[in-house]
Amino acid sequence: MAASDARDPRPRVSGRGKRATPDLLKKLRHLRVAIFHPRDADGELLAGQLQRIGCHALTFWPPLDDLPDTVDMVFCAVRPELAARHFAWARADVPPAIVAVIDYENPTILDAVLDLGAQAVLTAPLRSSGVLSALVMALAVNDEMKEGRKRVARLEKKLLAANQISEAKLILMRTRQVSDTEAYRLIRDQAMSQRVGTEEIAKAIIQADAVLNQPGRD
């Protein structure tokens, strides 16, 4: 590190952040937003600011039970009379980015915000200066959550494949009287000859073994 860098007291911005923010901002003109908020002064300000940002926004009140497939993001007013409601769209496998809008703080409201799965919060009375920040923050967190789910799904798939290969090797070691290494070589060679993955061969071996060892078979 250069001496001038060491003396520089300004916080560093990671390269990842420099790349991420412009990418998020590019999404805004294609973003489809559902605003679940009464048509009061705050609701009008929110709708107007989102339209100025470039989003395609529609306002509904009370909140819809089912979210249209075309909606990417939700701004939802959390009110005491609705705090106990559970919305299916907030619990979807791939939920939209969610910003909660609250007019005061108490345990009931905060529990409802957490239950909603909000990634950002706006506090009334609203100001136009906070809407873009909440929007970008919610989008960024939601994108991270989606990537996290994808990574978990890939890891679960790899773990399942590894478990299946281990089980298939044990079957071959028992039925062919071969070593662990030789059992894997048999699976790999069969996969190469059939041009499929080793996990496909492992599944076939497991299924065949289950059929051959069904109760009642000679």
Side-chain angles (χ1 to χ4, degrees):
M1 179 183 295
S4 59
D5 292 338
R7 292 193 300 268
D8 190 350
R10 294 173 297 177
R12 287 186 171 273
V13 178
S14 69
R16 182 177 175 281
K18 290 180 182 178
R19 292 191 301 271
T21 302
D23 288 343
L24 286 171
L25 293 176
K26 287 178 184 178
K27 291 183 179 182
L28 302 186
R29 292 195 177 277
H30 305 285
L31 202 66
R32 296 156 300 186
V33 182
I35 304 171
F36 296 148
H37 198 288
R39 294 182 181 275
D40 54 16
D42 284 331
E44 294 297 328
L45 183 148
L46 181 57
Q49 182 63 11
L50 288 171
Q51 289 170 0
R52 282 189 288 275
I53 290 170
C55 304
H56 304 284
L58 292 175
T59 299
F60 308 89
W61 190 256
L64 302 177
D65 290 322
D66 297 310
L67 198 65
D69 294 337
T70 55
V71 170
D72 304 306
M73 186 169 191
V74 172
F75 281 76
C76 185
V78 179
R79 299 296 169 85
E81 64 272 18
L82 299 175
R85 285 184 60 181
H86 302 291
F87 300 105
W89 46 265
R91 290 175 166 72
D93 292 337
V94 184
I98 301 171
V99 177
V101 182
I102 62 176
D103 50 11
Y104 60 92
E105 299 168 324
N106 64 27
T108 299
I109 295 297
L110 295 178
D111 282 345
V113 170
L114 292 173
D115 188 65
L116 192 64
Q119 290 102 21
V121 176
L122 284 173
T123 304
L126 299 183
R127 296 185 304 163
S128 58
S129 60
V131 175
L132 178 60
S133 296
L135 187 155
V136 172
M137 179 63 69
L139 281 178
V141 173
N142 191 256
D143 284 349
E144 286 288 338
M145 290 173 63
K146 288 178 181 177
E147 286 302 313
R149 290 188 182 97
K150 290 178 182 178
R151 287 195 294 270
V152 169
R154 287 195 296 267
L155 289 172
E156 287 177 342
K157 185 176 180 180
K158 287 182 179 180
L159 179 60
L160 176 61
N163 289 338
Q164 289 174 331
I165 291 171
S166 294
E167 185 176 352
K169 286 194 299 181
L170 290 173
I171 292 170
L172 291 176
M173 291 166 67
R174 185 187 74 240
T175 58
R176 299 286 188 90
Q177 299 298 307
V178 296
S179 67
D180 179 279
T181 302
E182 181 65 13
Y184 182 73
R185 188 187 65 78
L186 291 171
I187 294 171
R188 184 195 60 201
D189 289 350
Q190 192 67 18
M192 292 176 65
S193 67
Q194 296 188 28
R195 296 185 179 182
V196 297
T198 52
E199 65 274 12
E200 294 298 321
I201 299 300
K203 284 195 293 185
I205 292 170
I206 294 167
Q207 291 168 357
D209 184 68
V211 171
L212 293 173
N213 289 283
Q214 284 181 356
R217 292 185 66 93
D218 294 335

